[in-house]
């Protein structure tokens, strides 16, 4: 049944007809009554399909998109095509009289997919899908067959009042997509507005900035350098000078006392009851310090073989470090310089010197107290001799003699029994006027005082039973007493149960006045620390007192080394002394038990701190004290103090100083 006889039948949906270019109306209404379906062009398609089931029936007279009887003009205003019959019309290539007689003004002249100008210009052979308004897309495969109807059908678009399906409909921004070449005639460049001023201001800022950066700044720099006043201080020509015009280096110490030293350690009471003042300290709190030459103001690690004692190791600055609040000297089996071991020696030579006072260090000894072979040391030597540089000590070590000329200054002490093999004193008090001497009229030398030389002793019962650590504390002197025997009436042991005189008294190259103290085997390998050192008063009437911890171990008076036989007074050192810290190994000092020592390597000697105390009324912390200069003499003989391969003074100088003996003077007077 047709929709005319069934009031409940669904309304026929609207149809859209595309203009084929014949000039007929683009939108057609429902077919007239009695028309044949064959009159409908075959290209006509339905915009909406049949309604889905479940929607129900519309009551009679209620149109789907408005009234079914609307005219073409009305449908154009409503943006909807007029309704028409379901029966499609046959496609016509040529306009019929019916459509030719109708005016296209009934529907907007721009309601077709293409303008009438195109139709008239293309004639009957023009394709309805050619778009002269978009020449760049004409003929492309994407545009082929595109029109309002195909787009609507492809995307299932339902016409509505707000939906434009016709290209002739105008939107507000259409002028942006269809620019007219004539539009530029109406455009005017106007910068006198907010946007224009902002653009011009930004451009000016960029231009000015570029000019200042590449032209103005170089000119200002040149002018400033030209008009600035050059530095006129004494440091201007010396790049190594630290001027007061510059801030101090942040990590450089500015005082002799370490800021980390506690206040409780600022004073000490000496053996004779004098209150001593702290004048130098180093707590080694800063990790990663370097002791290569020039890296530290007070200490320097040497790079030498200590050949005078035939050591088995090479002293290398790389074996010296600070960590965990201690100075560490590391001894390990490291082959270098044709030796099998490497260790460290640190000196304050020609940097930090002292004359009299108390030298103290807190030390944890290396290895174990019951294994013999290591040779850790903590000692002082006169600054005129550099430890490990034999030419510098030749004729100076271990002399400490009065300011007189006698047989004691001669080669071998003029003794033919082999008591002494020393070359004679190189810088005695009696010299020729034209000879090189740091202080003519004074005996100069490089004496030695040892605060600690650690070894191992055996308490028994067997020969090697009851192995326990020991500390040798000694005073090295020359010229020598007969049989290297000082006057025992003038030295004192304070606790004979733990301290005794050393059986070794010396040899042809030194006389050693030494005492040995038993140690606690827990004071090793970082487990515990103990203080070692000595106090001394320099001069002909001086004395030396050694200590371990809070206890004094032994004491020697100047009378113990008084004139004896054909030699004169050996004096308690008056030379400016330099500190030495070293960790060695040598068969000349102790028997080396290598299989046992190998289990302890690498071994480390640790210094918790180093401190020097002096009488507040006699502070002397210089390498050039009055009457005993050293630095100029050292500077004038660089090879002796910088070349460790030079073993004799005659290798770096023409001859020894001439000597005028007291006996020669006596013979002349007689």
């Amino acid at each position: 049944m047709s929709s005319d006889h069934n009031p409940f039948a669904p309304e026929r949906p609207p149809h859209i007809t595309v203009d084929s270019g014949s000039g007929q109306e683009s939108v057609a209404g429902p077919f007239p009554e009695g028309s044949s379906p064959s009159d409908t062009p075959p290209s006509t398609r339905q915009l909406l399909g049949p309604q889905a089931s479940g929607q129900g029936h519309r009551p009679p007279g209620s149109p789907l998109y408005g009234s079914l009887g609307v005219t073409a003009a009305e449908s154009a205003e409503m943006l909807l095509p007029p309704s028409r019959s379901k029966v499609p019309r046959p496609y016509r290539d040529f306009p019929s009289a019916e459509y030719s007689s109708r005016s296209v003004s009934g529907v907007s002249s721009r309601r077709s997919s293409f303008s009438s100008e195109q139709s008239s210009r293309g004639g009957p052979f023009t394709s309805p899908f050619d778009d002269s308004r978009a020449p760049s897309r004409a003929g492309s495969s994407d545009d082929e067959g595109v029109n309002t109807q195909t787009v609507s059908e492809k995307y299932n678009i339902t016409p509505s009042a707000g939906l434009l399906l016709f290209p002739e409909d105008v939107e507000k921004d259409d002028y942006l997509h269809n620019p007219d070449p004539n539009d530029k005639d109406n455009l005017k460049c106007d910068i006198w507005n907010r946007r224009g001023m902002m653009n011009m201001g930004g451009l000016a800022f960029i231009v000015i900035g570029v000019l200042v950066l590449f032209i103005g700044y170089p000119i200002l720099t040149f002018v400033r350098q030209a008009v600035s006043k050059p530095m006129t201080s004494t440091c201007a020509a010396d790049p190594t000078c630290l001027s007061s015009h510059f801030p101090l280096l942040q990590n450089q110490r500015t005082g002799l006392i370490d800021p980390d030293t506690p206040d409780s350690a600022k004073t000490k009471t000496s053996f004779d009851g004098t209150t001593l003042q702290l004048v130098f300290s180093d707590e080694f709190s800063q990790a990663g310090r370097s002791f290569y030459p020039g890296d530290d103001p007070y200490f320097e690690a040497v790079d030498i073989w200590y050949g005078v004692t035939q050591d088995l190791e090479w002293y290398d600055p790389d074996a010296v470090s600070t960590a965990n609040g201690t100075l560490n000297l590391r001894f390990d089996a490291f082959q270098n310089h044709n030796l099998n071991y490497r260790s460290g020696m640190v000196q304050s030579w020609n940097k930090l010197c002292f004359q009299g006072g108390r030298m103290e260090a807190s030390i944890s000894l290396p290895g174990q107290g019951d294994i013999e072979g290591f040779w850790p040391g903590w000692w002082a030597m006169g600054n005129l001799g550099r430890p490990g540089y034999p030419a510098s000590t030749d004729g100076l070590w271990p002399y400490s003699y009065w300011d007189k000329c006698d047989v004691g200054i001669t080669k071998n002490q003029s003794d033919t029994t082999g008591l002494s093999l020393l070359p004679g004193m190189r810088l005695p008090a009696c010299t020729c006027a034209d000879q090189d001497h740091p202080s003519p009229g004074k005996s100069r030398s490089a004496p030695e005082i040892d605060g600690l030389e650690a070894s191992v002793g055996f308490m028994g019962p067997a020969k090697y039973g009851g192995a326990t650590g020991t500390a040798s504390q000694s005073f090295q002197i020359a010229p020598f007493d007969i049989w290297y025997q000082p006057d025992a009436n003038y030295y004192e042991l304070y606790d004979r149960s733990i301290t005794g005189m050393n059986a070794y008294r010396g040899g042809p190259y030194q006389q050693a006045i030494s005492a040995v103290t038993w140690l606690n085997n827990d004071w090793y390998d970082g487990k515990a620390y103990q203080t070692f050192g000595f106090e001394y008063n320099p001069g002909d009437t001086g004395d030396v007192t050694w200590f371990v911890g809070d206890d004094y171990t032994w004491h020697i008076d100047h009378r113990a080394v008084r004139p004896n036989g054909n030699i004169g007074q050996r004096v308690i050192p008056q030379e400016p002394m330099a500190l030495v810290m070293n960790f060695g190994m040598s068969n000349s000092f102790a028997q080396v038990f290598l299989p046992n020592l190998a289990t302890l390597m690498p071994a480390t000697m640790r210094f918790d701190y180093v401190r020097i105390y002096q009488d507040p009324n006699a502070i002397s912390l210089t390498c050039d004290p009055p009457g005993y200069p050293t630095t100029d003499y050292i500077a004038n003989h660089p090879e002796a103090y910088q070349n460790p391969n030079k073993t004799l003074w005659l290798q770096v100088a023409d001859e020894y100083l001439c000597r005028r003996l007291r006996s020669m003077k006596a013979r002349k007077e007689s």
Side-chain angles (χ1 to χ4, degrees), residues 271-272 535-539 541-545 555-558 572:
F271 172 76
D272 60 6
E535 299 173 4
Y536 79 106
N537 296 302
T541 59
D543 60 350
V544 186
T545 307
H555 171 83
I556 187 172
D557 186 85
H558 67 279
I572 305 302

Side-chain angles (χ1 to χ4, degrees), residues 142-158:
D142 293 340
D143 293 339
E144 186 175 355
V146 177
N147 54 52
T148 303
Q149 181 178 353
T150 58
V151 171
S152 301
E153 182 180 26
K154 178 178 180 180
Y155 295 100
N156 195 21
I157 300 175
T158 303

Side-chain angles (χ1 to χ4, degrees), residues 23 44 154 167 203 234 301 319 325 362 378 443 476 501 532 579 587 590 596 619-620 632 639:
T44 304
K154 178 178 180 180
L203 181 60
T234 56
S362 176
W378 158 239
S443 293
Q476 317 286 342
M501 294 306 298
F532 301 87
L579 300 176
N587 288 300
N596 304 78
I619 294 178
S620 178
D632 287 342
E639 191 172 12

Side-chain angles (χ1 to χ4, degrees), residues 406-419:
D406 54 25
V407 70
I409 69 171
T410 63
K411 182 179 181 180
N412 306 329
Q413 296 180 204
S414 299
D415 186 273
T416 60
T417 64
L419 175 69

Side-chain angles (χ1 to χ4, degrees), residues 42-63:
S43 63
T44 304
R45 302 179 183 178
Q46 294 181 353
L47 183 61
L48 298 175
Q51 293 181 353
S53 61
Q55 289 182 338
H57 298 283
R58 297 176 57 84
S62 177

Side-chain angles (χ1 to χ4, degrees), residues 127 138 146 175 234 367 428 523 586 661:
S127 171
V146 177
Y175 75 95
T234 56
W523 299 341
S586 174
L661 299 179

